[in-house]
Amino acid sequence: MSFTLAIVGRPNVGKSTLFNRLVGKRLALVDDQPGVTRDLREGDAKLFDLRFTVIDTAGLEEVTDDSLQGRMRRLTERAVEMADICLFLIDGRVGVTPSDEVFADILRKKNAHVILGVNKAEGRAGDGGAIEAWSLGLGEPVRMSAEHGEGLDDLYHMLRPLAEGYAERAAADAPVVDVDVPEDEADLEADPDAHKPSLKHPLQIAVIGRPNAGKSTLINKIIREDRLLTGPEAGITRDAISVRADWLGTPIRIFDTAGMRKKARISDKLEKLSVADGLRAVRFAEVVVVLLDVEIPFEQQDLRIADFAETEGRAVVIAVNKWDLEDEKQEKLAELKEMFDRLLPQLRGAPLVTVSAKTGRGLDRLHAAILKAHDVWNRRITTARLNTWLGAMVEAHPPPAPGGRRIKLRYMTQVKTRPPGFVVMCSHPDDMPDSYRRYLVNGLRDHFDMPGTPIRLTLRGQGDKNPFKDRKFHTPSRLRKHMDKKG
């Protein structure tokens, strides 16, 4: 059985700590300062034999205007309406506050199933708060300590009867990257649609970039709902939030990440945690969309971010946002392409797409570019085709002969996908210059239509090697004298 549980409450009552406890991982950022969580974060939770989806929410505050806190509150209220069950947390050491009473009234009107949890109630310090919680009129409170894992059995007995009857929902599966290709299967014609996204294995996309580039706005437009918190303020997003959706017929799981500034400018501990969370999202993704601001594209930090995605072996798509603000579109597009080719040669041929997250213009082209990049990232090439190509490349441009010894390229095969990885058997692999490696990689891109995707090329030596060739042995003096006598 499966259901959705939303954890709500005032700031700093321990919602994210309990969320991490239920999912069994440190997914949500946790800090002593209040207001760390701003977006809705979903996770697959496990409590004994119960399997369900848990939602971590921003702290409820008595603000109803269009300020950042007001937008956070509206997002949390939306999560309450989405959820099957709400767990309303209060701080057992502080007791019931006037804000708790206001929010208890709101929850009674919005959700039929509300469980009252008294967190931080370990020991005698939480006795007063647990007794006061009865006054909220939400039934018997559950005493717990999210930090120490206390009270989870009581929570289980409260959830168990409510969980009956809820439909089962599919859980998100981690993507498979860096896939080995066995040599006996490398020559077989693989199913070209085997890697296509499905409901069970959605396409994993991470959107990364500098602060205020429009990442959250872009994702809201893609999923066609105001799921992520947006606004004119830079640095609103803190957690790497994942959302499942259907985008033009493609099942996706898309990650919104915190804006990444230069390391020297980051002094706040929370911002460091946010950036680290975003980097983990990149490692979890299959395709990374590097979002640039059209007014200040390809700054040094943009180049670092794109290079990190390529280094991690992910398919990369460059998207230039706020295209609706540009007047001279043709001239600007030519300038962007020239800067891209010059500043990011390691991503030569990767898609460059102009979009407007505000109006939704260009999202169909972005969707097509992501699917193509994903297809290339999964491409397999048979050994026969590779060796025919290798012979032509060597004939057109023979490898160098350092020290008078010609390097011979004997055999080539593909050993990995996601990203494509190749091994070339050759003589003297350590003497191969980087320029010839680049010649082979660029040839692979051009001949087999693999623009932009990371390509891993490994040179490996062939032939029998004597393991004792370079080892020096110490001959005892008695044996040396005996050998001298024998002549």
Side-chain angles (χ1 to χ4, degrees), residues 175 244 250 330 382 419:
R244 292 172 68 97
T250 304
Q330 293 298 325
T382 62

Side-chain angles (χ1 to χ4, degrees), residues 292-313:
L292 311 181
D293 189 328
V294 69
E295 296 180 353
I296 43 174
F298 294 109
E299 284 201 333
Q300 189 176 19
Q301 185 64 2
D302 293 325
L303 303 180
R304 286 199 184 103
I305 292 170
D307 184 66
F308 171 76
E310 193 276 338
T311 302
E312 287 296 316

Side-chain angles (χ1 to χ4, degrees), residues 279-340:
L279 298 180
R280 280 195 297 271
V282 171
R283 296 185 180 102
F284 194 78
E286 297 170 302
V287 180
V288 173
V289 177
V290 181
L291 195 64
L292 311 181
D293 189 328
V294 69
E295 296 180 353
I296 43 174
F298 294 109
E299 284 201 333
Q300 189 176 19
Q301 185 64 2
D302 293 325
L303 303 180
R304 286 199 184 103
I305 292 170
D307 184 66
F308 171 76
E310 193 276 338
T311 302
E312 287 296 316
R314 302 300 178 261
V316 179
V317 174
I318 306 295
V320 183
N321 191 24
K322 306 180 184 178
W323 193 242
D324 54 306
L325 303 178
E326 184 59 40
D327 296 326
E328 303 294 334
K329 288 184 169 51
Q330 293 298 325
E331 292 81 355
K332 188 66 175 182
L333 184 58
E335 179 186 349
L336 289 172
K337 289 181 177 177
E338 186 276 329
M339 294 174 70
F340 181 32

Side-chain angles (χ1 to χ4, degrees), residues 433-452:
D434 291 337
S435 58
Y436 201 83
R437 289 173 180 263
R438 288 193 297 270
Y439 165 70
L440 294 177
V441 170
N442 291 334
L444 285 168
R445 290 191 196 282
D446 295 338
H447 187 79
F448 296 106
D449 190 25
M450 295 192 292

Side-chain angles (χ1 to χ4, degrees), residues 31 178 180 284 352 462:
D31 198 67
D178 205 26
D180 292 337
F284 194 78
L352 175 68
Q462 261 190 337

Side-chain angles (χ1 to χ4, degrees), residues 16 73 83 91 93 137 160 164 206 250 259 262 264 267 288 318 325 346 374 399 406 433 446 463 468 470 481:
S16 294
R73 171 172 170 162
D91 190 330
R93 297 177 183 272
R160 181 75 192 183
E164 301 291 343
T250 304
K262 292 182 180 179
S267 57
V288 173
I318 306 295
L325 303 178
Q346 67 272 36
H374 185 248
R406 174 70 64 184
D446 295 338
F468 305 104
D470 298 323
K481 292 178 181 179

Side-chain angles (χ1 to χ4, degrees), residues 155-422:
L155 178 62
Y156 168 80
H157 291 300
M158 295 287 284
L159 287 175
R160 181 75 192 183
L162 297 176
E164 301 291 343
Y166 288 114
E168 186 171 0
R169 300 177 182 179
D173 294 328
V176 181
V177 297
D178 205 26
V179 178
D180 292 337
V181 181
E183 288 194 18
D184 56 348
E185 296 181 9
D187 294 332
L188 298 178
E189 290 295 334
D191 182 2
D193 297 328
H195 66 277
K196 298 294 183 183
S198 63
L199 288 175
K200 185 177 181 181
H201 299 286
L203 176 57
Q204 314 272 9
I205 305 170
V207 182
I208 62 175
R210 286 182 290 108
N212 216 26
K215 299 180 291 296
S216 299
T217 305
L218 176 67
I219 295 176
N220 281 342
K221 186 63 71 172
I222 287 174
I223 65 177
R224 299 187 299 279
E225 58 177 302
D226 293 333
R227 173 66 184 276
L228 301 173
L229 195 63
T230 62
E233 305 93 344
I236 290 179
T237 302
R238 284 174 170 169
D239 291 270
I241 304 298
S242 69
V243 182
R244 292 172 68 97
D246 183 282
W247 184 19
L248 299 178
T250 304
I252 65 169
R253 188 180 186 192
I254 190 165
F255 292 80
D256 185 23
T257 62
M260 300 178 186
R261 297 195 298 164
K262 292 182 180 179
K263 193 172 182 180
R265 295 183 180 178
I266 301 176
S267 57
D268 183 47
K269 170 191 171 186
L270 188 56
E271 186 174 355
K272 291 179 181 178
L273 292 172
S274 300
V275 172
D277 205 30
L279 298 180
R280 280 195 297 271
V282 171
R283 296 185 180 102
F284 194 78
E286 297 170 302
V287 180
V288 173
V289 177
V290 181
L291 195 64
L292 311 181
D293 189 328
V294 69
E295 296 180 353
I296 43 174
F298 294 109
E299 284 201 333
Q300 189 176 19
Q301 185 64 2
D302 293 325
L303 303 180
R304 286 199 184 103
I305 292 170
D307 184 66
F308 171 76
E310 193 276 338
T311 302
E312 287 296 316
R314 302 300 178 261
V316 179
V317 174
I318 306 295
V320 183
N321 191 24
K322 306 180 184 178
W323 193 242
D324 54 306
L325 303 178
E326 184 59 40
D327 296 326
E328 303 294 334
K329 288 184 169 51
Q330 293 298 325
E331 292 81 355
K332 188 66 175 182
L333 184 58
E335 179 186 349
L336 289 172
K337 289 181 177 177
E338 186 276 329
M339 294 174 70
F340 181 32
D341 293 340
R342 174 168 48 88
L343 298 174
L344 288 171
Q346 67 272 36
L347 290 173
R348 185 170 68 91
L352 175 68
V353 184
T354 56
V355 299
S356 171
K358 185 177 181 181
T359 65
R361 190 171 182 179
L363 294 190
D364 53 343
R365 288 184 280 110
L366 178 61
H367 175 264
I370 288 174
L371 288 185
K372 182 178 179 182
H374 185 248
D375 286 340
V376 173
W377 194 60
N378 284 275
R379 181 154 300 166
R380 288 190 184 190
I381 305 170
T382 62
T383 302
R385 292 182 64 198
L386 281 173
N387 284 282
T388 301
W389 168 84
L390 181 63
M393 292 291 285
V394 170
E395 185 177 348
H397 186 182
R405 299 183 303 176
R406 174 70 64 184
I407 299 177
K408 296 180 181 179
L409 306 184
R410 297 189 173 95
Y411 177 79
M412 184 176 187
T413 188
Q414 183 174 2
V415 294
K416 290 185 181 297
T417 61
R418 305 163 70 91
F422 304 89

